[in-house]
Amino acid sequence: MTQSNTVTVQILDKEYCIACPAEERANLESAARYLDGKMREIRSSGKVIGADRVAVMAALNITHDLLHKQQHLDQQASSTREHLRTLLGRVDTALSDADGPGA
């Protein structure tokens, strides 16, 4: 069973204490740094005012990036599957030709 520890992260100069299993601490800290960077980037643009709005815009941007990357991975997987089907068809054809008449 994993032990929960409290990790303190800083996002936009505010501290947040979060319960987190010890083995996930580095991932949580990395995620917090990433979020902090995105929020600072949005805040510094001057187009969005207020921590809540900055947080929502950061969440939307991160979600958009995630969904875009997932779609790209899905397309790659589909292309790889199709390529594999083609190669398996060639192997089947080669094997059936080798087993055919005169073999």
Side-chain angles (χ1 to χ4, degrees):
M1 184 173 257
T2 59
Q3 287 264 337
S4 286
N5 297 319
T6 301
V7 177
T8 301
V9 297
Q10 220 171 21
I11 301 171
L12 276 189
D13 303 321
K14 288 187 178 182
E15 286 191 350
Y16 298 89
C17 294
I18 302 167
C20 176
E23 65 272 12
E24 290 295 322
R25 180 182 181 120
N27 287 336
L28 174 62
E29 290 171 339
S30 178
R33 281 191 302 274
Y34 185 79
L35 177 59
D36 182 61
K38 285 292 188 184
M39 290 179 69
R40 288 178 185 281
E41 184 181 308
I42 291 167
R43 185 178 68 179
S44 70
S45 76
K47 295 178 183 174
V48 181
I49 298 173
D52 290 349
R53 290 176 188 259
V54 168
V56 169
M57 289 305 298
L60 284 171
N61 286 336
I62 292 167
T63 303
H64 175 267
D65 290 346
L66 174 68
L67 293 175
H68 180 74
K69 287 177 182 177
Q70 184 61 52
Q71 182 182 27
H72 182 70
L73 286 173
D74 290 347
Q75 288 171 347
Q76 282 183 323
S78 178
S79 175
T80 300
R81 279 191 297 275
E82 187 57 39
H83 187 65
L84 185 57
R85 280 189 202 102
T86 301
L87 291 174
L88 287 172
R90 286 179 168 176
V91 169
D92 286 344
T93 301
L95 289 175
S96 66
D97 288 348
D99 290 339

